[in-house]
Amino acid sequence: MEELDAEPPLMVVPGADPSARQLCFAWGPAEVLVCETLFGRRGTGEGEPSSSRLFVVRKDQDIYIQTLRKLFNESHGIFIGLQRSEEELAGKSRKAQLVQVSKNYRSVIRACMEDMHQAAISTRDPALHSQYSTQVSILSAMELIWNLCEILFVEAAAAGPLLLRLLDWVRLHVCDVDNMVREVLSSENPSKHELFWNVVDVFVLQGRMDEARHLLSKEASANPASVNMYKILDDLMKKMPVPSLGNTQTLTEMELKWQHWHEECQRYLQDGTFASNSHMESICKILLGDEDAILEKKELMTTWYHFLVTRLLYSHPTVKPMELRFYAQSSMDLFLGGESSPEPLDTILMAAFEFEMHQVIKECSIALSNWWFVAHLTDLLDHCKLLQSHNLYFGSNMREFLLLEYASGLFSHHSLWQLGVDYFDHCPEYGRVYLELHIERIPLNTEQKALKVLRICEQRQMHEQVRSICKIMAMKALRNNRLGSALSWSIRAKDAAFATLISDRFLKDYCERGCFSDLDLIDNLGPSMLLSDRLTFLGKYREFHRLYGEKRFSEAAKLLLMLMTAHIAPCSFWMTLLTDALPLLEQKEVIFSAEQTYELMRCLEDLTAGKSDKQKFQDDDVETMKVEMLRLALARNLARVIVKEGTLEGS
């Protein structure tokens, strides 16, 4: 049976008053635009225009927190490294690699948390201080959850080492203890300090026996009457059996040793050895795993999971992973005692102790303020082969769904979107589709950014997106009258129609100014000029000018005639080409042959004959003068050619 989702939480938009104004919404890929209408609700002046405001509601606000940039950037590198790691590593090598990846993620969380803590200390703005402090709490909870998941799921610690890992987990995440220890040890007479026994108790509750014994030695030195009791208690603490990571002893051996030690502690307590010192007697009861004695120190432990680990240490040190759920539930019930209901963090940790990975991910998705945590944790668990069987009803799996959500949030940021590309790349089912949809929405503010986006699309053979980006940039350049840039983008887009339009603008610009702009681009068109006939003409026409400038008149004349006779040149530009032929016709040396001259004369007659009488009437005197000058120059050139060719034949 499909599990029904709970009702989504009510979101209050600060400043908006839905009771007084009607609101309308426009949904975007990563945010919602909320605006007040011009009309109030019934009974509040409906129909009367009034001022209206806009609100932007982002679903992943953490993306915009500057101090979290380290978290996103550095974890991206870890994520990519994990995807590229050698899958053939198996057994202990692969497991050790995944544990190291998990620790790397935690180190990034901790580094970011420390930066946020420093920012909270240094700021003088109360609002910023509150924001940073909240983020420190969130990051601390994230590391706490991740560390527990690392122990239970990634490392999958077995009975024995499991308890040692849980002890390290508790010690790492209880921060107030160290401050208390420093305060006691820095005093002149530590054993007389009011917090002395609290510190000893905390050490015992966390299984830090050497430190507890060191402090108790100060009590023995200051109070000779308690020396005998101290020696007995010190001996019990010293002999306490603890599991070893080296697996040098079996669980059976460990349990036998622990049972003998437990009976010895019981004997001393029943004999009244510590009866005269309530503190030492309390410690002995804790060593025996007395739940009431441990619960008396509730304020020192502060959390039920600390109580759980202490309880396991002194009552069931060889606890097996699958037994954790029973001890965890009873520990939470005993510790809270019905006084308060579990917080979201308690629910998440309980799901982890129950080995309900999917529930952990679901609860974290609800409780945490961004997708970073669940996306990366799920990806790691997927690499551990723990989520392979869990597919979502719409065809994807949980890993991909969460990575898609996280990457979509990154794409709403002006620079973090580049990280999102790599996350989409590693989503085999829908990653490409999401990337295509999101990359089209990136604002192309600068050419540098456009080139970045273009390179990403070209690397992934996203041809439609490449054309779209090039067309957008070409249009922007054209609006700003940057013809060279516009032509370059249109060539890159392989857009023949747009290249033709820009080529016409180049030719128009030439007619008005008498020279070309962006000569380097036009001179180096190469094969690109074949994209359209007009672009071909532009390139060849520029080549004519270059040949003319280099005084290679015969080649220039031949090219000019080819542009007209091959109908590459637009008819509207024929007069310009014929005018360009005038200097060649007036050269001392005959450039055009008789046949070429006849071709030019035909082109001139075709040009003038193609105009109606009305157009001829409208032509100005300058145009008429050009035609007459051309006819005269062509006639003179023809006469010179005939004389020259006749002379050559006669000789």
Side-chain angles (χ1 to χ4, degrees):
M1 183 176 178
E2 185 179 347
E3 182 181 355
L4 296 176
D5 290 330
E7 284 293 319
L10 181 68
M11 176 178 285
V12 178
V13 181
D17 186 4
S19 63
R21 298 275 178 83
Q22 296 185 41
L23 301 179
C24 61
F25 305 86
W27 300 90
E31 55 194 19
V32 182
L33 183 69
V34 183
C35 61
E36 297 177 337
T37 62
L38 291 175
F39 303 102
R41 293 197 175 276
R42 294 185 182 277
T44 57
E46 184 179 8
E48 298 177 6
S50 59
S51 62
S52 184
R53 289 174 291 180
L54 295 174
F55 307 92
V56 177
V57 182
R58 295 191 174 103
K59 73 173 184 179
D60 204 345
Q61 186 65 28
D62 288 357
I63 295 293
Y64 299 89
I65 299 177
Q66 182 66 27
T67 42
L68 285 177
R69 292 288 292 276
K70 176 185 284 188
L71 181 69
F72 304 132
N73 283 314
E74 295 193 13
S75 61
H76 165 262
I78 300 170
F79 172 83
I80 296 301
L82 178 57
Q83 313 312 308
R84 294 174 180 169
S85 63
E86 297 180 10
E87 293 292 341
E88 58 266 19
L89 284 176
K92 292 184 178 179
S93 299
R94 179 64 175 165
K95 185 175 179 180
Q97 182 188 45
L98 293 169
V99 170
Q100 186 56 52
V101 169
S102 179
K103 289 179 178 178
N104 291 342
Y105 276 127
R106 285 201 293 116
S107 68
V108 172
I109 298 174
R110 182 160 286 274
C112 192
M113 183 169 61
E114 290 172 0
D115 289 348
M116 196 79 72
H117 180 65
Q118 289 301 320
I121 294 173
S122 59
T123 186
R124 295 182 180 179
D125 186 343
L128 275 179
H129 178 81
S130 175
Q131 178 188 339
Y132 291 147
S133 299
T134 301
Q135 285 296 329
V136 168
S137 301
I138 293 171
L139 289 167
S140 178
M142 285 164 58
E143 193 199 356
L144 177 75
I145 299 165
W146 192 298
N147 196 353
L148 182 60
C149 291
E150 178 186 305
I151 294 167
L152 300 179
F153 306 141
V154 182
E155 188 175 5
L162 174 61
L163 179 64
L164 296 180
R165 294 286 183 244
L166 292 175
L167 281 170
D168 290 337
W169 175 63
V170 165
R171 292 167 187 167
L172 181 63
H173 298 284
V174 178
C175 303
D176 296 331
V177 177
D178 295 331
N179 296 329
M180 194 190 304
V181 171
R182 278 194 295 271
E183 185 180 342
V184 170
L185 292 179
S186 61
S187 63
E188 293 181 6
N189 191 349
S191 64
K192 300 299 181 184
H193 195 282
E194 60 180 354
L195 298 176
F196 174 79
W197 286 106
N198 282 352
V199 173
V200 175
D201 288 339
V202 168
F203 283 148
V204 173
L205 292 169
Q206 292 186 9
R208 297 159 69 175
M209 291 305 184
D210 291 339
E211 291 155 289
R213 289 170 59 212
H214 175 69
L215 274 182
L216 282 173
S217 66
K218 297 183 180 298
E219 163 67 11
S221 302
N223 189 358
S226 63
V227 170
N228 189 46
M229 281 187 291
Y230 158 72
K231 286 182 178 179
I232 295 172
L233 186 58
D234 181 75
D235 188 54
L236 289 174
M237 295 168 72
K238 182 180 179 181
K239 292 193 301 186
M240 178 183 172
V242 291
S244 63
L245 291 174
N247 293 324
T248 55
Q249 60 182 350
T250 64
L251 286 180
T252 306
E253 291 173 338
M254 169 65 198
E255 288 173 350
L256 285 173
K257 288 181 181 178
W258 187 83
Q259 190 62 41
H260 288 308
W261 172 82
H262 191 268
E263 290 171 358
E264 188 176 358
C265 293
Q266 185 73 45
R267 190 166 57 251
Y268 280 118
L269 185 64
Q270 289 176 348
D271 290 347
T273 304
F274 307 109
S276 61
N277 189 315
S278 60
H279 295 296
M280 290 192 183
E281 186 177 41
S282 174
I283 291 172
C284 187
K285 288 180 180 179
I286 292 173
L287 296 180
L288 282 167
D290 187 318
E291 290 179 357
D292 293 333
I294 297 173
L295 281 172
E296 285 178 8
K297 312 298 179 183
K298 187 175 181 178
E299 293 182 1
L300 298 176
M301 291 182 289
T302 67
T303 62
W304 65 268
Y305 44 89
H306 188 177
F307 169 60
L308 163 66
V309 176
T310 302
R311 183 184 173 199
L312 291 173
L313 175 64
Y314 295 114
S315 63
H316 196 5
T318 56
V319 62
K320 295 177 176 62
M322 286 299 112
E323 297 171 341
L324 280 176
R325 65 180 65 201
F326 308 111
Y327 288 100
Q329 187 62 58
S330 61
S331 295
M332 187 167 73
D333 294 341
L334 284 169
F335 193 86
L336 298 179
E339 298 173 7
S340 59
S341 57
E343 298 287 333
L345 178 60
D346 300 326
T347 306
I348 294 168
L349 295 176
M350 183 57 69
F353 282 123
E354 292 175 346
F355 285 82
E356 294 289 346
M357 280 174 282
H358 301 111
Q359 191 65 24
V360 170
I361 294 166
K362 179 180 177 180
E363 295 294 338
C364 288
S365 300
I366 296 169
L368 298 177
S369 56
N370 62 67
W371 291 105
W372 179 90
F373 182 86
V374 287
H376 290 84
L377 179 61
T378 305
D379 175 65
L380 179 61
L381 295 177
D382 187 75
H383 278 83
C384 295
K385 312 295 183 187
L386 298 174
L387 298 173
Q388 299 300 312
S389 62
H390 192 78
N391 288 321
L392 303 179
Y393 68 90
F394 50 79
S396 183
N397 58 36
M398 184 180 288
R399 169 194 174 272
E400 179 161 328
F401 171 77
L402 294 172
L403 287 177
L404 291 172
E405 287 296 314
Y406 173 64
S408 297
L410 292 176
F411 260 84
S412 67
H413 193 274
H414 65 90
S415 63
L416 292 176
W417 64 268
Q418 296 174 79
L419 305 181
V421 173
D422 289 327
Y423 287 95
F424 283 142
D425 280 345
H426 291 95
C427 295
E429 191 78 21
Y430 296 111
R432 169 115 182 167
V433 177
Y434 269 66
L435 179 58
E436 289 174 352
L437 291 172
H438 280 283
I439 212 155
E440 290 175 350
R441 293 185 172 97
I442 296 174
L444 304 175
N445 307 324
T446 63
E447 285 209 0
Q448 184 182 9
K449 188 172 183 180
L451 288 169
K452 279 184 182 178
V453 178
L454 194 65
R455 189 161 51 250
I456 287 167
C457 294
E458 287 175 341
Q459 288 170 351
R460 291 156 181 80
Q461 282 100 40
M462 296 164 61
H463 305 300
E464 286 299 321
Q465 284 68 29
V466 167
R467 280 193 287 272
S468 175
I469 292 164
C470 292
K471 285 180 180 179
I472 290 168
M473 295 307 296
M475 187 61 73
K476 281 186 177 182
L478 188 61
R479 287 198 196 104
N480 295 323
N481 205 33
R482 294 168 55 232
L483 297 181
S485 178
L487 182 59
S488 177
W489 282 110
S490 64
I491 290 172
R492 199 159 186 171
K494 295 181 173 58
D495 190 335
F498 206 78
T500 299
L501 174 66
I502 298 170
S503 299
D504 282 337
R505 286 285 299 271
F506 262 107
L507 296 172
K508 181 183 176 184
D509 192 50
Y510 168 77
C511 291
E512 292 173 355
R513 297 170 53 193
C515 62
F516 282 112
S517 58
D518 299 287
L519 285 178
D520 287 343
L521 175 64
I522 300 174
D523 286 341
N524 294 285
L525 283 174
S528 300
M529 71 171 65
L530 301 176
L531 181 62
S532 76
D533 289 345
R534 199 60 45 84
L535 186 57
T536 303
F537 170 72
L538 177 64
K540 290 296 181 183
Y541 185 55
R542 167 57 192 155
E543 187 180 344
F544 160 75
H545 278 275
R546 185 172 56 79
L547 291 171
Y548 186 88
E550 295 172 359
K551 297 186 178 181
R552 295 158 64 183
F553 298 129
S554 295
E555 294 176 57
K558 186 177 179 181
L559 179 58
L560 184 68
L561 192 62
M562 183 272 291
L563 291 176
M564 297 185 69
T565 57
H567 299 287
I568 297 175
C571 292
S572 60
F573 210 73
W574 277 23
M575 181 55 74
T576 303
L577 293 175
L578 288 167
T579 306
D580 287 334
L582 268 175
L584 295 172
L585 292 168
E586 298 295 336
Q587 291 290 325
K588 290 181 181 180
E589 182 184 352
V590 177
I591 306 297
F592 290 102
S593 66
E595 185 181 352
Q596 290 175 326
T597 306
Y598 284 130
E599 286 291 341
L600 287 173
M601 295 173 79
R602 183 180 62 79
C603 289
L604 179 60
E605 293 307 314
D606 287 346
L607 179 63
T608 54
K611 293 184 178 181
S612 63
D613 293 337
K614 186 177 180 181
Q615 283 177 310
K616 288 178 182 178
F617 180 77
Q618 289 175 343
D619 284 346
D620 55 18
D621 294 337
V622 175
E623 199 74 13
T624 305
M625 187 181 297
K626 282 182 182 180
V627 172
E628 293 303 322
M629 286 176 63
L630 281 166
R631 282 175 175 159
L632 178 60
L634 287 166
R636 288 172 58 188
N637 186 76
L638 184 60
R640 291 165 62 196
V641 171
I642 292 171
V643 171
K644 180 181 177 182
E645 291 179 354
T647 304
L648 289 172
E649 288 176 6
S651 62

